[in-house]
Amino acid sequence: MSLAYTDPKQHLADLFRQALARVAPDSGLAVELERPKQAAHGDWACNLAMQLARGLKRNPREVAAELIAALPASDWVEKTEIAGPGFINVFITPRLWQRLPAHILAQGAEYGRIELGRGKRVQVEFVSANPTGPLHVGHGRGAAYGASLASVLTHAGYHVQREYYVNDAGRQMDILALSTWLRYLELTGECVPFPPNAYQGGYVRVLADSIYALHGERYKRTAAQVLTGVPAIPSAEEYAQQPDAKGRAEASLDALIAAAKRLLGQDYDYIHGYALEEQLGDCRNDLTEFGVSFDHWFSERTLHDAGLIERALEQLRHKGQLYEQDGAVWFRSSAHGDEKDRVVRRENGQYTYFAADIAYHLNKLERGFDRVIDVWGADHHGYIPRVKGALAAAGHDPDRLEVALVQFAVLYRDGQKVSMSTRAGEYVTLRELRQEVGNDACRFFYVLRKSDQHLDFDLDLAKSQSADNPVYYIQYAHARVSSVLAGWGGMEKDLADADATLLTHPSELALLRRLAEFPESIGAAARDYAPHLVAYYLKDLAADLHGLYTTCRILEEDEALRLARLQLVAATRRVLRSGLGLLGVSAPDKM
RNA sequence: CUGCCCGUAGCUCAAUCGGAUAGAGCACCAGCCUUCUAAGCUGGGGGUUACAGGUUCGAUCCCUGUCGGGCAGGCCA
């Protein structure tokens, strides 16, 4: 016999649209409803009268009175009032709120899904770290943000694909292959100085060890062979201190790569491929443990192999967007909002990373996504105009690409910044961070800030098992409800017919209203690409639950009231679980 | 030098495409457990939203300038 629940915001918007059509049919205004900060201002406020008054040159409060008079009658509106400069405040009858818990329990995981996206296809590309070493804490933020964003967009009615762009074709991968081989040669007893600008991390030795274990000395070459024609390799000290050492180090590194390719032939591809697969696998495992998964791993190399880069450049050339100068091929990005033109093919005939990125992004759009979202580190912001410029130059709408910039995360331990040096291999890996603070706290802390805000990641706070930690605050609310429901011992479905009109206590009504906000919270988070809004919503929801718990006893003597309250907290648990799920955080039944 | 982002309570941060008296947590002070999980709850102090102008019914939000912080400006990725 459960009574239907009507989404009050949509209902009100409907009423106001009808009123607007009567009072000012040609205004062209959209109805906006917002949640007042203060309960005394009602459940929703409408600023339509003030918007109208501007054009009509009339007193907003008079216009408000006309609008109210024109509102169709509704069972769900308890009262309306004109407030302040001309707000129309609307109070919803508690009878509507009281229908919500049964609605939520009936909907289950579907509650909170909205139609904002209308089935549009969206791709979220994130992490996309070079598979040349372990993910570090900076990647972790991009991973947590991208995964949560993708979940939120899915919940908001978009058809989402999660993609990881694998940079498996560039110089960085060559450097990893070379680094691995040099460590391997050390195992065979050959002494080639290890370049200061090669990958220093211990994982390179692990790669070398396993290749040696698998293939023995098959890939051994003498140091003399390797070093023939290679410029002197600067020492670590020289590299750090001498201004010109950096350039020399790059030159000798390139010479070493060339030597490796020449001496190893096909075997170079094996080492390259082995290192790539191992690192990519490690990265994938790391992310999987972090609750982050991808629908598609896109290989940069396939762009080269399939000739997509040439094709993309041909497309631009055809439109007169390329020219040659100094032996290189340039793209006229300055004609599309960039500060200067950019090289797409170097004098030596090699394509730049940018050329591959043009092909990649054209390919994304051709795959039919209505919208493509790139999650990038904030240090890449200067890159946006040229990529969008390339899309525009190729005849696409550049606004189909949106770039979400994620600022850096800085770790703090004992109030001190934890120093990070990528070059020296001295950085905190994502895996270490996860082991230290746990996946739940990690995921939650990463998305607790607006993405364009610098993130201070306080390790001590994230680890603390106390009230200081907002993750536990929310999880605790969930566990509390689970404990009560366990104590009761019944099944959720037995709560469907509870008499929710008994829920009249202020803390019960506050919780009901909060539950009703969940879909709006999803909508705001999806619209602004701001999953942190969900995190904040959950904190508020948990606070209301804790408030109810201390003021009202759930397992009341009176059976009808007991069932009504159980229905309410069971619905709350449902929403807590859904919300935490969107953020990749677990919802424990016991703590 | 130029461009982008940021500047909100002692600290870390919110603030629903411009809304009403700018909100939380931490820290500090005072209270609440013989009954469903005290990882909880209640109350208190704490602000010229960096600064100066502008736009309007209304500005933390939009515009201009100044100051301060971060990042970026390669035929690197």
Side-chain angles (χ1 to χ4, degrees):
Chain A
M1 66 130 232
S2 83
L3 299 160
Y5 170 79
T6 306
D7 184 85
K9 189 180 182 183
Q10 284 178 18
H11 177 62
L12 289 179
D14 234 29
L15 298 181
F16 274 102
R17 266 190 290 273
Q18 291 180 49
L20 179 62
R22 292 179 196 174
V23 173
D26 305 318
S27 70
L29 290 175
V31 173
E32 293 172 27
L33 290 166
E34 52 202 37
R35 293 267 187 181
K37 285 171 185 159
Q38 294 178 57
H41 292 150
D43 293 304
W44 270 278
C46 182
N47 62 6
L48 208 48
M50 290 178 290
Q51 304 282 351
L52 275 175
R54 186 181 315 207
L56 299 174
K57 293 191 189 303
R58 292 180 51 198
N59 183 335
R61 293 184 67 107
E62 285 175 20
V63 180
E66 283 183 32
L67 282 168
I68 289 176
L71 277 177
S74 164
D75 289 342
W76 307 128
V77 177
E78 187 167 75
K79 65 168 174 170
T80 54
E81 60 185 27
I82 302 169
F87 288 104
I88 299 173
N89 293 339
V90 182
F91 294 77
I92 300 293
T93 170
R95 285 183 295 110
L96 182 55
W97 300 128
Q98 288 158 350
R99 292 184 175 194
L100 184 54
H103 174 72
I104 291 172
L105 291 179
Q107 294 267 297
E110 295 301 303
Y111 179 67
R113 286 194 185 272
I114 56 176
E115 296 302 316
L116 183 70
R118 299 178 190 286
K120 281 189 182 153
R121 298 187 61 206
V122 175
Q123 185 201 56
V124 181
E125 181 221 323
F126 59 112
V127 187
S128 297
N130 286 343
T132 52
L135 296 172
H136 55 68
V137 294
H139 300 127
R141 190 176 188 189
Y145 174 78
S148 298
L149 175 62
S151 296
V152 164
L153 289 173
T154 300
H155 230 60
Y158 291 92
H159 192 264
V160 179
Q161 185 195 49
R162 298 153 211 242
E163 180 155 293
Y164 189 119
Y165 181 56
V166 183
N167 298 119
D168 53 5
R171 180 167 178 264
Q172 296 304 317
M173 267 311 300
D174 280 326
I175 296 173
L176 177 67
L178 172 72
S179 304
T180 304
W181 188 50
L182 292 179
R183 291 302 191 200
Y184 167 88
L185 290 179
E186 288 174 11
L187 295 173
T188 68
E190 292 299 319
C191 276
V192 178
F194 198 78
N197 50 341
Y199 288 108
Q200 308 290 317
Y203 61 92
V204 179
R205 291 180 192 276
V206 175
L207 290 171
D209 283 344
S210 54
I211 290 177
Y212 189 80
L214 284 167
H215 303 285
E217 306 213 332
R218 172 173 175 176
Y219 306 115
K220 178 177 176 177
R221 302 291 186 277
T222 66
Q225 284 177 299
V226 177
L227 290 170
T228 301
V230 172
I233 300 166
S235 69
E237 292 75 30
E238 292 168 338
Y239 188 76
Q241 287 157 17
Q242 296 179 8
D244 66 323
K246 200 159 183 175
R248 289 190 285 120
E250 296 303 318
S252 42
L253 198 64
D254 282 332
L256 282 168
I257 291 170
K261 288 180 176 174
R262 189 181 66 245
L263 292 168
L264 290 168
Q266 299 269 315
D267 286 346
Y268 177 83
D269 295 336
Y270 171 77
I271 292 176
H272 184 283
Y274 184 86
L276 171 67
E277 287 310 315
E278 286 296 307
Q279 284 309 306
L280 209 52
D282 176 73
C283 174
R284 193 190 315 246
N285 291 340
D286 199 3
L287 290 168
T288 300
E289 287 172 18
F290 197 35
V292 175
S293 62
F294 291 86
D295 305 305
H296 194 218
W297 298 68
F298 189 99
S299 157
E300 178 191 355
R301 195 189 291 180
T302 62
L303 290 171
H304 292 82
D305 294 348
L308 292 182
I309 297 177
E310 283 117 62
R311 211 193 73 176
L313 295 187
E314 196 47 50
Q315 208 175 330
L316 292 178
R317 184 176 287 116
H318 185 69
K319 292 184 183 283
Q321 302 292 337
L322 299 184
Y323 63 90
E324 286 199 29
Q325 187 178 307
D326 304 328
V329 178
W330 298 69
F331 164 54
R332 294 184 199 280
S333 47
S334 63
H336 302 278
D338 200 4
E339 341 177 289
K340 50 181 284 195
D341 293 344
R342 308 288 174 177
V343 170
V344 289
R345 201 183 71 198
R346 294 197 281 266
E347 194 177 358
N348 65 11
Q350 292 205 312
Y351 294 116
T352 59
Y353 180 87
F354 177 46
D357 244 1
I358 293 173
Y360 176 48
H361 283 87
L362 287 177
N363 176 267
K364 287 190 188 200
L365 293 188
E366 285 164 9
R367 277 188 268 164
F369 296 108
D370 297 295
R371 198 188 304 167
V372 163
I373 301 171
D374 286 5
V375 178
W376 290 352
D379 54 334
H380 285 69
H381 67 79
Y383 206 72
I384 300 173
R386 74 189 72 167
V387 176
K388 285 195 170 234
L391 295 180
H396 289 97
D397 175 7
D399 290 336
R400 280 171 68 195
L401 168 68
E402 298 201 40
V403 180
L405 293 178
V406 177
Q407 292 286 343
F408 293 127
V410 180
L411 290 183
Y412 284 83
R413 191 196 302 278
D414 302 324
Q416 298 292 312
K417 192 183 278 193
V418 179
S419 70
M420 304 261 278
S421 166
T422 312
R423 185 185 61 75
E426 292 168 1
Y427 52 81
V428 180
T429 65
L430 175 59
R431 190 171 268 122
E432 288 162 352
L433 181 70
R434 292 194 295 103
Q435 280 164 0
E436 187 167 346
V437 311
N439 284 320
D440 285 343
C442 252
R443 286 290 301 260
F444 193 82
F445 268 69
Y446 270 133
V447 296
L448 192 53
R449 302 285 173 251
K450 254 187 323 205
S451 58
D452 57 4
Q453 192 75 248
H454 288 271
L455 172 68
D456 289 333
F457 199 120
D458 186 332
L459 285 168
D460 304 300
L461 178 56
K463 274 193 296 182
S464 73
Q465 308 251 324
S466 73
D468 307 357
N469 196 328
V471 194
Y472 294 115
Y473 184 79
I474 298 168
Q475 291 183 320
Y476 185 55
H478 185 273
R480 264 186 153 175
V481 175
S482 288
S483 172
V484 171
L485 288 171
W488 167 56
M491 303 289 288
E492 262 190 21
K493 60 179 166 55
D494 298 333
L495 298 171
D497 297 326
D499 179 9
T501 60
L502 300 171
L503 301 174
T504 54
H505 189 278
S507 57
E508 291 169 335
L509 291 172
L511 182 54
L512 285 168
R513 288 189 171 94
R514 187 75 69 188
L515 289 171
E517 287 177 20
F518 185 52
E520 295 167 50
S521 162
I522 301 289
R527 193 188 60 230
D528 296 342
Y529 300 165
H532 77 278
L533 293 175
V534 176
Y536 276 86
Y537 169 77
L538 291 174
K539 276 168 68 168
D540 288 338
L541 179 61
D544 288 330
L545 185 280
H546 288 310
L548 171 78
Y549 190 89
T550 30
T551 52
C552 300
R553 190 175 168 78
I554 314 300
L555 297 176
E556 260 289 336
E557 296 290 326
D558 181 77
E559 188 185 9
L561 184 56
R562 181 169 72 236
L563 289 175
R565 285 184 174 159
L566 283 165
Q567 190 192 52
L568 174 60
V569 297
T572 303
R573 182 173 70 161
R574 178 65 258 171
V575 175
L576 284 168
R577 194 181 294 166
S578 295
L580 287 171
L582 291 175
L583 303 181
V585 178
S586 70
D589 289 317
K590 285 180 184 169
M591 288 178 73

